Amino acid sequence: MYIYASSSSFIHSLLCHCEKSVMSQSQHSAPQQSRPSDGHVTARVMNLNSDKLCVSPNRDHNSENYEDLQLEFNPHVFGSLEQYLPPHILNLSREVKVRYMRNILLRYFPENDRNRIQKLREYRLKIILNYPPLHREIYTMDAENFFRPSFLRAIKENTEASFRSIMAEPSAGIYTFEMLQPQFCKKLMSEVDNFERWVRGTKLRIMRPNAMSKHGVVLEDFGLETMLDKFMSDFIHPISRVFYSEFGGSSLDSHHGFVVEYGISKDVELGLHVDDAEVSLNICLGKEFSGGEVFFQGVRCEEHVLSNAQPGEIFNYSHVPGHAVLHPGRQRHGARSTTSGNRMNLIIWCRSSAFRELKKYQRDFPSWCGECKRKKKERERLSLMVTQQELLKREI
């Protein structure tokens, strides 16, 4: 548990941050290149105050191993970042390089963010050191015992045809399929119940999955992060890269996994919203219940999230234990009231830092936002009408 779990996404975001810093500085001063006596231009570097990073990594350089050090950042981040160090730093001692890179990382993270993440790290460490798991076997990926045989066959074949053979697509871009074994669902539900009882006994406060849910737990908080890493990379990513490439589905690099609980004494319903994710997986784990259907109302970008649903975008889905519904995170959805009993769902929000960075430089998303698409068609229709009128005037 370190600050920033995914080194690849962190390096990407850090370099984008550096690039913006350089561009901002270049508006006030002319760019300069240093030339040594042999006349060759040195590697272009980015300046973060007094410390610098190269724009491109030195792939031939073998990075040091930092896993034995007690650092507030993931040691893999240091290993990845080392390849971006300027040449005169690369061959210095590991201690010097750590200090150099740490100065850059600390400046990149505002102090309030560092404090928040440090508290989360301490919270998770306290739990993992003290919580006795009920089913240790679910803390590491065991595909044969987790997933249905039909799903595993499709993943093994790893083709669009194999995925579609086990899926239904009841509405555009929304896929439903049988995924989890009943025994795994039961074990995960009992593990969540066991964790909640343990937390109540220790007087710790459970951090809820999101601002919308008053009940439920974050799976990474009590040791399931490694299992979820494999779940996303080996069993969600192969599908998302085929069906959700325009949403960042081919570059997923982090996740937020949690279990939510619905019932008369739990969360009863959930209002219309979009997820903080590029791709969302929602699986009903079970328990006896009625009601609680998920309703969908179309994919939207941030600007159009409150726009009206168009014909063909509205779809209702009824949960079946062990069955999954996969959809873009920007697909607007909610949950209707659970009218009796209790229900537990496993939800995994899968994210792509590269896709999020690219979105910052776009204004319209007609390839996937329903409202952007509608407005583009309307502009094209009006443009065609104007052209036709001009042609008629010429003929007259």
Side-chain angles (χ1 to χ4, degrees):
M1 294 164 294
Y2 305 91
I3 294 176
Y4 230 94
S6 173
S7 60
S8 61
S9 62
F10 182 87
I11 299 303
H12 174 85
S13 299
L14 179 60
L15 290 173
C16 288
H17 172 84
C18 298
E19 184 73 59
K20 291 175 185 176
S21 175
V22 170
M23 291 173 65
S24 176
Q25 293 173 17
S26 67
Q27 293 174 358
H28 300 91
S29 61
Q32 295 182 349
Q33 291 178 323
S34 59
R35 291 183 181 271
S37 57
D38 62 2
H40 291 90
V41 179
T42 59
R44 177 171 164 248
V45 297
M46 292 176 172
N47 194 315
L48 277 176
N49 294 338
S50 60
D51 297 315
K52 300 176 180 179
L53 291 175
C54 294
V55 177
S56 301
N58 182 345
R59 299 297 186 192
D60 296 328
H61 175 75
N62 293 320
S63 298
E64 306 251 17
N65 189 318
Y66 297 92
E67 293 185 8
D68 61 314
L69 301 179
Q70 294 297 316
L71 304 165
E72 63 266 64
F73 296 93
N74 189 318
H76 296 297
V77 169
F78 285 89
S80 298
L81 190 59
E82 184 178 331
Q83 293 189 332
Y84 292 86
L85 293 177
H88 70 279
I89 299 293
L90 278 179
N91 295 321
L92 297 181
S93 68
R94 186 174 71 156
E95 288 72 21
V96 171
K97 287 186 284 192
V98 166
R99 188 164 61 250
Y100 189 96
M101 290 185 284
R102 185 174 178 273
N103 287 340
I104 294 172
L105 295 170
L106 289 175
R107 278 200 300 277
Y108 178 71
F109 266 101
E111 185 176 358
N112 58 343
D113 284 352
R114 296 203 305 271
N115 291 339
R116 177 180 56 81
I117 295 171
Q118 179 62 24
K119 287 180 181 178
L120 177 59
R121 177 190 176 199
E122 292 169 357
Y123 169 78
R124 289 181 173 178
L125 184 61
K126 179 183 254 186
I127 290 173
I128 289 172
L129 290 177
N130 294 282
Y131 171 64
L134 180 64
H135 298 291
R136 290 189 180 275
E137 63 272 21
I138 71 171
Y139 283 72
T140 54
M141 176 54 66
D142 183 359
E144 298 295 327
N145 288 313
F146 285 14
F147 300 109
R148 302 289 294 186
S150 59
F151 176 77
L152 288 178
R153 283 195 297 270
I155 290 293
K156 184 176 181 180
E157 290 181 31
N158 196 24
T159 64
E160 180 176 347
S162 69
F163 298 144
R164 288 192 180 278
S165 71
I166 63 166
M167 292 176 168
E169 188 180 4
S171 184
I174 300 174
Y175 299 94
T176 63
F177 50 96
E178 192 176 15
M179 189 179 198
L180 295 181
Q181 294 273 20
Q183 192 61 28
F184 172 75
C185 294
K186 290 178 183 177
K187 287 183 178 180
L188 183 55
M189 287 191 292
S190 63
E191 189 69 48
V192 169
D193 288 337
N194 185 65
F195 174 67
E196 290 184 316
R197 283 193 299 271
W198 178 83
V199 168
R200 287 194 293 270
T202 59
K203 302 295 192 286
L204 278 173
R205 180 174 66 88
I206 290 182
M207 290 189 180
R208 298 305 178 187
N210 51 65
M212 301 175 291
S213 302
K214 296 179 181 178
H215 298 271
V217 298
V218 178
L219 299 180
E220 289 95 340
D221 284 353
F222 57 102
L224 285 160
E225 184 172 6
T226 301
M227 185 273 283
L228 289 174
D229 286 342
K230 295 289 287 181
F231 201 121
M232 183 184 77
S233 63
D234 294 357
F235 302 99
I236 300 176
H237 181 258
I239 300 172
S240 68
R241 69 174 178 78
V242 172
F243 297 113
Y244 299 129
S245 59
E246 72 271 33
F247 299 102
S250 58
S251 57
L252 302 178
D253 54 19
S254 63
H255 55 73
H256 177 51
F258 52 96
V259 168
V260 290
E261 302 174 73
Y262 290 91
I264 302 303
S265 60
K266 304 284 187 180
D267 291 321
V268 176
E269 60 186 10
L270 187 63
L272 187 69
H273 67 284
V274 294
D275 294 338
D276 181 13
E278 275 59 71
V279 177
S280 294
L281 181 71
N282 186 339
I283 313 167
C284 180
L285 296 175
K287 294 197 172 180
E288 298 294 325
F289 64 92
S290 58
E293 298 86 0
V294 182
F295 59 93
F296 294 93
Q297 293 191 7
V299 179
R300 293 293 187 272
C301 64
E302 284 85 350
E303 183 177 348
H304 298 131
V305 72
L306 297 178
S307 63
N308 293 330
Q310 300 300 313
E313 290 185 321
I314 298 174
F315 167 67
N316 296 317
Y317 171 76
S318 297
H319 287 292
V320 178
H323 287 233
V325 54
L326 187 71
H327 62 86
R330 299 299 309 182
Q331 170 69 248
R332 298 179 301 177
H333 62 286
R336 303 197 189 283
S337 296
T338 299
T339 54
S340 66
N342 292 287
R343 169 172 61 86
M344 275 192 182
N345 279 56
L346 167 63
I347 297 174
I348 305 177
W349 288 353
C350 304
R351 297 160 174 164
S352 165
S353 58
F355 178 77
R356 294 183 178 209
E357 190 64 32
L358 289 171
K359 274 205 309 180
K360 294 177 183 178
Y361 306 99
Q362 291 180 260
R363 293 182 59 188
D364 298 318
F365 305 92
S367 67
W368 55 266
C369 172
E371 186 65 10
C372 287
K373 189 182 299 182
R374 186 190 69 79
K375 289 188 173 184
K376 181 182 179 183
K377 287 182 179 179
E378 181 64 16
R379 288 194 299 269
E380 291 173 347
R381 186 184 69 82
L382 292 174
S383 177
L384 180 60
M385 285 178 58
V386 170
T387 302
Q388 288 173 339
Q389 289 172 358
E390 288 295 326
L391 290 172
L392 285 172
K393 287 179 182 179
R394 291 177 187 177
E395 290 179 1
I396 293 172

